[in-house]
Amino acid sequence: MRDIRRRSILAGALAVPLTAGLPASSATATTHRTAENSPSTHHPSGRRPTAPDADALRAALAGLPDADATAALVRVGGTGGRWHGSSGVHDLESGRPADPHARFRAGSTTKVVTAAAVLRLAAEGRIGLDTPVRAHLPDLLGARFGKVTVRHLLDHTSGIPAGDGLGTTFEELYAHRFDTLSPQRVAASAGAKRPEFRPGRQQHYLNINYTFLGLLIERVTGRSYASEVSRLVLAPAGMRDTYFPGTDPRILGPHNRGYQAVTGTDGTTEFLDVTEWKQADRFAAGDMISTTADLERLLTGLFRGRIVPRSHLREVFSVPTRIPGASYGAGGLQRFESDGQVYWVKSGGRYGYNSAIAATSDLGRTLVYSVNSTDAKSEDANPVVGRIITAALR
């Protein structure tokens, strides 16, 4: 089995172990086997997909809440069979079991929805992938970025630097969690800076690329990002429990509380409730609330050509070939190879919540998870996430 840190690319910002314990809970992993083995007619690696390892997945979810996570929701699917389960608690105060159908902040998995909407508009002839972005947004993008195209935004090769934010540390951001920073201001601040590099020469994953894509969708269609993406992507995918909260700091509907571990000057750790938080500045790059079932529908609908027409579906899996080490494609997904099998993945992390989607192009194996990490923006691997990935991809 390959190193867990290598597999943790699926999770993006992960969590580090903490020394402080969480309140004891009697909640255990609840699992659901929804289908038995089914034959596969084709698999790129030549291997027949196996059924999800239910025992390994149950073990991966056992013991929550702990210092690394308070809850976890997992769905594993594909032609080899299906499994879903949950573990942990809804909240630390009551200790009642986590809701397995809960909504959560999906973070940067939003980018896959944004990319799909752009590719669908491109298929309709309303957006040109190789059209300069300034042709649509000259008021937000300076002349220095005149050669940046829509495709450069999609695969993070634009060279546009990050825009303004509400802080860099957790403490700064938490103090401003109910403030509103508009995507227009974020984009304008980035568009007034100097380029990081010439477009198409490097790949640098940044939210700003998808902030511009969201504003592009609005400019081209004359409708809000939320309404247009709901029409183009959520509806054909059947994502009925997904929405974009905008300036509303709440998670509407059933959800499990999110926490951030904060160490005090005396060395003790407090678990701060970070469930309510405005994410408007994340916009088309990360301001989506969803469920594991809906994100599984996104993967299935996208890869089967029900969202992006087949004339443009190849763009979902296109990665720049002339940039060494490039892994992000025009579909908002990242190419990841493990044990000879290629997965297309996207992770997301907002304080209190980590999520990820992953699938082989033939949907032989899919994985969706949401983990209520207690340090969701850490760059170190969260042990709970690592266990889930190892169990799901074995």
Side-chain angles (χ1 to χ4, degrees), residues 3 31 61 89 104 107 114 117 147 172 196 262 288 299 312 318:
D3 187 85
T31 61
L61 298 185
V89 295
F104 52 84
T114 301
K147 294 185 178 180
E172 291 172 338
E196 288 189 338
V262 178
M288 183 171 75
L299 279 172
H312 282 63
S318 66

Side-chain angles (χ1 to χ4, degrees), residues 79-394:
T79 52
R82 299 172 58 81
W83 182 95
H84 65 276
S86 62
S87 183
V89 295
H90 167 271
D91 64 278
L92 295 178
E93 288 72 23
S94 71
R96 72 177 189 267
D99 186 336
H101 307 293
R103 289 174 171 173
F104 52 84
R105 299 196 187 279
S108 285
T109 56
T110 308
K111 292 181 176 69
V112 180
V113 170
T114 301
V118 170
L119 292 176
R120 184 157 178 178
L121 289 170
E124 295 173 357
R126 303 180 70 182
I127 289 179
L129 297 184
D130 297 311
T131 298
V133 178
R134 285 199 81 238
H136 298 288
L137 300 171
D139 52 324
L140 296 176
L141 198 59
R144 292 169 175 168
F145 299 98
K147 294 185 178 180
V148 173
T149 67
V150 175
R151 189 185 302 276
H152 290 140
L153 297 178
L154 285 168
D155 62 19
H156 300 281
T157 59
S158 70
I160 302 174
D164 290 344
L166 292 170
T168 57
T169 67
F170 168 75
E171 290 75 18
E172 291 172 338
L173 293 167
Y174 183 76
H176 293 286
R177 68 192 182 280
F178 296 128
D179 294 346
T180 299
L181 180 60
S182 73
Q184 289 82 1
R185 177 180 165 186
V186 175
S189 66
K193 297 178 181 179
R194 297 181 64 86
E196 288 189 338
F197 51 83
R198 292 177 63 183
R201 297 297 181 90
Q202 299 179 42
Q203 187 172 75
H204 184 191
Y205 175 89
L206 284 175
N207 284 332
I208 192 63
N209 293 295
Y210 279 70
T211 299
F212 273 105
L213 286 172
L215 295 170
L216 175 65
I217 291 171
E218 294 189 333
R219 190 67 58 89
V220 168
T221 65
R223 302 179 65 194
S224 71
Y225 167 82
S227 62
E228 192 66 3
V229 171
S230 295
R231 180 183 71 85
L232 293 169
V233 181
L234 304 191
M239 299 170 69
R240 295 177 294 274
D241 291 314
T242 299
Y243 75 100
F244 305 94
T247 57
D248 189 342
R250 301 168 298 170
I251 300 177
L252 303 179
H255 60 278
N256 301 314
R257 308 295 294 185
Y259 298 88
Q260 172 69 21
V262 178
T263 303
T265 56
D266 61 354
T268 60
T269 299
E270 174 188 4
F271 293 90
L272 197 62
D273 192 321
V274 292
T275 308
E276 276 75 47
W277 198 312
K278 282 188 181 180
Q279 307 285 334
D281 61 315
R282 303 293 97 178
F283 188 45
D287 186 27
M288 183 171 75
I289 288 172
S290 191
T291 65
T292 55
D294 267 10
L295 292 182
E296 188 176 61
R297 293 183 184 105
L298 172 64
L299 279 172
T300 303
L302 181 61
F303 286 20
R304 288 181 176 168
R306 294 201 298 262
I307 301 172
V308 176
R310 293 197 176 275
S311 61
H312 282 63
L313 191 57
R314 66 183 182 279
E315 299 288 356
V316 172
F317 307 105
S318 66
V319 174
T321 57
R322 298 182 180 180
I323 302 176
S327 60
Y328 286 97
L333 294 158
Q334 187 173 19
R335 186 184 188 277
F336 174 69
E337 186 171 347
S338 176
D339 295 332
Q341 177 62 63
V342 173
Y343 295 89
W344 295 91
V345 310
K346 190 68 197 81
S347 59
R350 304 308 305 151
Y351 285 110
Y353 302 90
N354 279 130
S355 64
I357 59 177
T360 56
S361 61
D362 68 341
L363 295 173
R365 174 57 52 91
T366 64
L367 166 64
V368 178
Y369 67 73
S370 171
V371 174
N372 291 52
S373 301
T374 57
D375 194 4
K377 300 299 288 182
S378 172
E379 295 182 356
D380 294 323
N382 183 315
V384 178
V385 169
R387 293 198 304 268
I388 291 170
I389 293 169
T390 299
L393 304 187
R394 62 192 305 161

